[in-house]
Amino acid sequence: MGGVLTTCPYCGCGCNFVLQVLEGRVVGTSPVQGHPVSRGSMCVKGWNAHEFVHAPDRLAGPLMRRNGSLVPAAWDEAMASAADGLRQTVARHGPDSVVFFSSAKCTNEENYLMMKLARTAFGTNNVDHCARLCHSSSVVGLAETFGSGAMTNSIDELAQARCIFVIGSNTTEQHPQVASRIMASVHGGGALIVADPRSIRLTQFAKIHMRHRPGTDVALINSMMHVIMAEGLEDRDFIAARTENVDALKRGVAAYGPQRGQAITGVPAEVIVQAARMFAQAETAAIVYAMGITQHITGVDNVRSLANLSMLTGNIGKPSTGVNPLRGQNNVQGSCDMGALPDVYTGYQKVKDPAAREKFARAWGVSRLPDSPGLTVVEAMHAAAEGRIKAMYIMGENPMMSDPELRLAEKALQSLDLLIVQDIFLTETARLAHIVLAGASFAEKDGTFTNTERRVQRVRKAIEPIGDTRADWQILCDMAHRCGYAGMNYSSPEDIFNELAALTPTYRGMSYPRLEPWGLLWPCPAADHPGTPYLHKDTFARGKGHFSPVEFRSPDEMPDEQYDLILTTGRIYFHWHTGSMTRRTSPLNRESPVAFVEISPEDASARGVRSGANVRVSTRRGTIELVARVTKDVAPGVVFIPFHFYEAAANLLTNPALDPEAKIPEYKVCAARLEACP
Ligand code: SF4
């Protein structure tokens, strides 16, 4: 048996493990001691990360739709048909009639190629990926306040923090390695504050649990800042030396005394006061958040508020502090870094900036590049449903499970003249495609992923692509060639990495040899630079940190007589994202085989519902049936549904209302009704 060191394909922690190989098959994983994040441990998903690779229903080769059914096709025919279809669509309807969805599951090199393909071969900025649905609010909010939209500090530093404020993150379930550092801080005497509408595992170890009403984060944080300023606990030296606009913040939070905070959030005023003091008085205090903060129509405001809190208390630009958005998928940070977004190239260089356009046009050998930002994921779906988008090329994404209000996604995809899906399984989205291109899994290709703490690290090929599948980077290069663009000839992923690093200031000092053994944290601007564990040390990326006061706004849809509960959605420990990999992994499926809804004992009893009973949950957008789990983990008036289960897809119910700046949908709050099944 052989072994190949690589990076986990699941969460943004970015653990490394050894893939065990026997006779051309991956048969297991084993931990590695030296890795700075995983340190010889893995969660249950990592231990089982090999099984889906050989799932019996892996796509074995390309498929084409004939007489209404998807049937096997030769690569040459499928690629020729896809390339012709894309070219004809652009010729007939213009470059912006085509949309490209890149993938947070794929490598940096592949994301770079996808956005390069869209911009060079087709002349459109219509390229986006699922970061839009999880952390686009972080990118916008932190870029405005700090000048850079990534996790400010490294994972390991959390273990030494004297106070950690976890808000909107079920960390033990979704980012187990981050949770282990939070627990190390607690065991070392650090204070843990958790703000979450649900009781989560971390609340057992928290000094304070603020169980605020879903969607009231801005009011809660404003109220904490009100207390900090009223009691003179702000870091005046830091504010004077490093920030601007504090007077506006003072005015902005003046009306959010703790009593008003209590009225809006439901958290007792004295608890808000206690939390504010605990955070402000700690020697080092870090903020950790995830999609409980970002997936709201006020997602950017929520992020701004957290940035304000960190600057107000001087907890930024130092070890074991900072504002730390936990990225969901294995390479969602890298997909953003690679410019798989409609408004930026790699390293967040703006498409609107003439100098950036000229730089990339010269490097890519094209005379011009499009200058106006393209459509985001949700905007593209709306445009397709309205007939303005004619073709989509979707790589490694499953919008038929991950988009809000799935009926709209289905209508949009079915109305396309051409849908090309590149994936490793026949996902819910691939089933609607005209052409399916069979990609390779993480075990079958080389490349890099960037984890949530900005660590760029190697993915290494352990086995040959299964059946007649191909690595995504090779498919993309072939597509570019067939579409008449000659600038995507690469001999290896390393070749691609060298090109993208040269164009990206934060990656410029990196190379495959330098990423040995455990990667580098960006920014790494020169070949002798050691990488950067924490950001904004002496100055913010934008110069001075900018306080951005925000007013509380209610969620888009609140309970009423007809829909009397708040539905919030999320993830669970045993499954990942749309379940396309974890639900094909027997130990994970055994532990959590069916869709469920969590409901409080009070609400269950009022509806005559017992744990284990089948219930129906409805919103204005649809109805699903699933099993009730009666638990005090959710507060009365709130129900929770994980979104991994296609047979009871939570996103049939969710609200597509968008944050006006980040265009992220409000997955975390909508009005719902629950009743026992007859
Ligand atoms: Fe590590 Fe996350 Fe993979 Fe678990 S899922 S092994 S925590 S990277």
Side-chain angles (χ1 to χ4, degrees):
M1 181 145 44
V4 176
L5 180 68
T6 194
T7 303
C8 180
Y10 284 121
C11 88
C13 290
C15 294
N16 273 201
F17 53 60
V18 172
L19 262 177
Q20 292 158 354
V21 182
L22 183 65
E23 295 170 358
R25 293 172 65 88
V26 289
V27 293
T29 63
S30 56
V32 286
Q33 193 62 42
H35 189 263
V37 176
S38 39
R39 289 192 182 171
S41 70
M42 297 188 291
C43 79
V44 67
K45 291 187 282 286
W47 277 110
N48 292 285
H50 59 288
E51 195 177 310
F52 73 86
V53 173
H54 297 288
D57 61 344
R58 261 290 296 272
L59 285 169
L63 305 173
M64 291 180 71
R65 191 167 293 280
R66 295 191 217 273
N67 301 321
S69 302
L70 284 168
V71 296
W75 270 106
D76 191 48
E77 187 187 9
M79 291 297 292
S81 179
D84 285 353
L86 290 170
R87 287 174 69 152
Q88 283 172 23
T89 304
V90 169
R92 249 185 251 137
H93 304 286
D96 291 334
S97 63
V98 182
V99 164
F100 298 80
F101 286 174
S102 203
S103 173
K105 293 193 192 83
C106 288
T107 62
N108 285 324
E109 292 77 359
E110 290 159 346
N111 278 283
Y112 173 77
L113 292 188
M114 188 58 142
M115 74 95 184
K116 182 176 174 181
L117 176 76
R119 288 170 165 140
T120 54
F122 299 99
T124 181
N125 283 320
N126 284 345
V127 56
D128 202 7
H129 72 287
C130 70
R132 180 69 46 201
L133 307 178
C134 60
H135 270 291
S136 53
S137 326
S138 299
V139 173
V140 175
L142 295 183
E144 177 186 298
T145 47
F146 299 160
S148 168
M151 190 165 162
T152 60
N153 289 57
S154 63
I155 293 171
D156 221 24
E157 292 171 43
L158 287 169
Q160 287 81 45
R162 302 310 299 156
C163 177
I164 300 178
F165 180 24
V166 177
I167 181 165
S169 159
N170 191 353
T171 326
T172 46
E173 305 244 339
Q174 295 313 318
H175 296 88
Q177 296 291 2
V178 176
S180 80
R181 302 312 195 278
I182 293 171
M183 290 310 301
S185 161
V186 170
H187 291 318
L192 175 61
I193 304 167
V194 174
D196 200 298
R198 297 169 71 215
S199 288
I200 55 174
R201 216 176 291 180
L202 278 182
T203 53
Q204 296 167 27
F205 306 95
K207 284 212 158 56
I208 297 172
H209 175 201
M210 296 189 282
R211 197 178 210 185
H212 59 311
R213 296 186 182 110
T216 62
D217 305 87
V218 163
L220 184 69
I221 303 159
N222 273 355
S223 204
M224 287 174 70
M225 290 192 287
H226 176 103
V227 173
I228 289 167
M229 286 199 254
E231 298 191 0
L233 299 176
E234 70 270 35
D235 186 336
R236 289 185 187 152
D237 291 344
F238 183 89
I239 293 166
R242 299 281 313 270
T243 69
E244 62 188 24
N245 212 30
V246 71
D247 289 339
L249 182 75
K250 264 185 206 157
R251 290 193 297 276
V253 302
Y256 290 87
Q259 291 300 338
R260 183 162 178 236
Q262 173 175 327
I264 299 173
T265 66
V267 179
E270 62 274 17
V271 176
I272 296 175
V273 171
Q274 218 185 336
R277 288 178 186 156
M278 193 176 282
F279 187 86
Q281 291 174 334
E283 192 187 330
T284 52
I287 296 168
V288 170
Y289 74 87
M291 286 176 269
I293 278 292
T294 57
Q295 290 179 331
H296 294 274
I297 56 161
T298 55
V300 176
D301 284 349
N302 292 348
V303 173
R304 286 185 178 112
S305 296
L306 293 174
N308 289 339
L309 177 63
S310 75
M311 290 190 289
L312 189 67
T313 54
N315 279 303
I316 183 83
K318 296 189 291 192
S320 303
T321 64
V323 179
N324 298 293
L326 303 181
R327 295 304 192 111
Q329 298 200 64
N330 54 320
N331 197 35
V332 72
Q333 180 65 54
S335 308
C336 293
D337 297 346
M338 293 301 104
L341 296 168
D343 56 341
V344 291
Y345 304 115
T346 62
Y348 309 94
Q349 299 169 82
K350 293 193 183 309
V351 299
K352 274 187 166 173
D353 175 4
R357 279 203 308 280
E358 196 188 321
K359 167 181 159 178
F360 280 89
R362 201 175 326 118
W364 292 343
V366 293
S367 57
R368 64 174 296 276
L369 287 166
D371 56 2
S372 45
L375 296 176
T376 62
V377 165
V378 182
E379 287 173 333
M381 286 298 189
H382 281 278
E386 291 160 11
R388 288 184 285 125
I389 294 298
K390 304 292 183 189
M392 279 193 193
Y393 184 173
I394 299 178
M395 173 175 77
E397 295 253 319
N398 191 7
M400 275 303 298
M401 279 290 287
S402 59
D403 270 27
E405 196 179 11
L406 288 178
R407 288 217 178 98
L408 173 73
E410 186 172 23
K411 180 180 169 210
L413 296 177
Q414 284 179 332
S415 65
L416 294 167
D417 294 343
L418 175 63
L419 175 60
I420 303 164
V421 175
Q422 185 169 312
D423 214 309
I424 62 172
F425 292 111
L426 196 62
T427 61
E428 290 73 20
T429 304
R431 283 192 196 118
L432 301 179
H434 300 101
I435 300 169
V436 178
L437 304 173
S441 77
F442 81 111
E444 298 147 49
K445 59 191 179 187
D446 282 304
T448 54
F449 293 155
T450 304
N451 79 350
T452 187
E453 59 174 351
R454 299 169 278 106
R455 183 181 300 278
V456 184
Q457 48 189 355
R458 284 296 317 280
V459 177
R460 296 179 184 84
K461 181 174 168 176
I463 56 172
E464 290 301 320
I466 304 268
D468 193 18
T469 66
R470 291 182 182 175
D472 297 86
W473 69 270
Q474 289 172 315
I475 300 171
L476 292 167
C477 290
D478 188 8
M479 186 69 76
H481 179 70
R482 290 172 187 265
C483 291
Y485 175 61
M488 276 172 46
N489 292 314
Y490 303 99
S491 57
S492 66
E494 184 173 9
D495 213 7
I496 305 165
F497 188 87
N498 290 339
E499 177 179 307
L500 72 88
L503 288 165
T504 312
T506 44
Y507 280 60
R508 190 171 291 143
M510 298 183 192
S511 61
Y512 274 20
R514 283 211 73 209
L515 295 182
E516 300 291 348
W518 310 124
L520 288 164
L521 279 73
W522 67 253
C524 177
D528 58 353
H529 192 283
T532 309
Y534 64 93
L535 303 177
H536 317 302
K537 181 165 180 261
D538 299 313
T539 180
F540 284 95
R542 68 179 297 283
K544 292 230 170 187
H546 184 80
F547 283 109
S548 293
V550 284
E551 283 291 337
F552 166 69
R553 284 184 290 134
S554 287
D556 180 69
E557 195 180 76
M558 291 299 283
D560 54 21
E561 278 188 9
Q562 204 184 353
Y563 297 98
D564 56 343
L565 297 167
I566 290 178
L567 166 64
T568 187
T569 64
R571 300 178 299 193
I572 57 174
Y573 181 58
F574 292 103
H575 286 300
W576 194 245
H577 209 56
T578 66
S580 59
M581 301 190 297
T582 51
R583 296 202 71 202
R584 288 178 169 88
T585 301
S586 46
L588 303 177
N589 230 12
R590 183 190 62 220
E591 293 298 325
S592 182
V594 295
F596 62 89
V597 52
E598 289 183 355
I599 181 169
S600 71
E602 294 87 341
D603 289 328
S605 146
R607 289 160 180 78
V609 166
R610 288 168 187 258
S611 234
N614 288 335
V615 295
R616 192 174 285 156
V617 180
S618 308
T619 69
R620 289 186 172 82
R621 291 153 292 279
T623 297
I624 59 174
E625 288 187 4
L626 65 182
V627 171
R629 189 178 281 180
V630 179
T631 169
K632 288 184 174 165
D633 286 351
V634 287
V638 177
V639 291
F640 167 81
I641 302 178
F643 73 91
H644 314 292
F645 299 90
Y646 62 85
E647 63 275 27
N651 283 326
L652 278 168
L653 308 180
T654 46
N655 187 354
L658 299 179
D659 179 289
E661 296 166 272
K663 316 284 186 192
I664 193 169
E666 188 153 69
Y667 290 106
K668 292 298 180 191
V669 185
C670 70
R673 187 175 62 231
L674 184 146
E675 58 215 332
C677 282

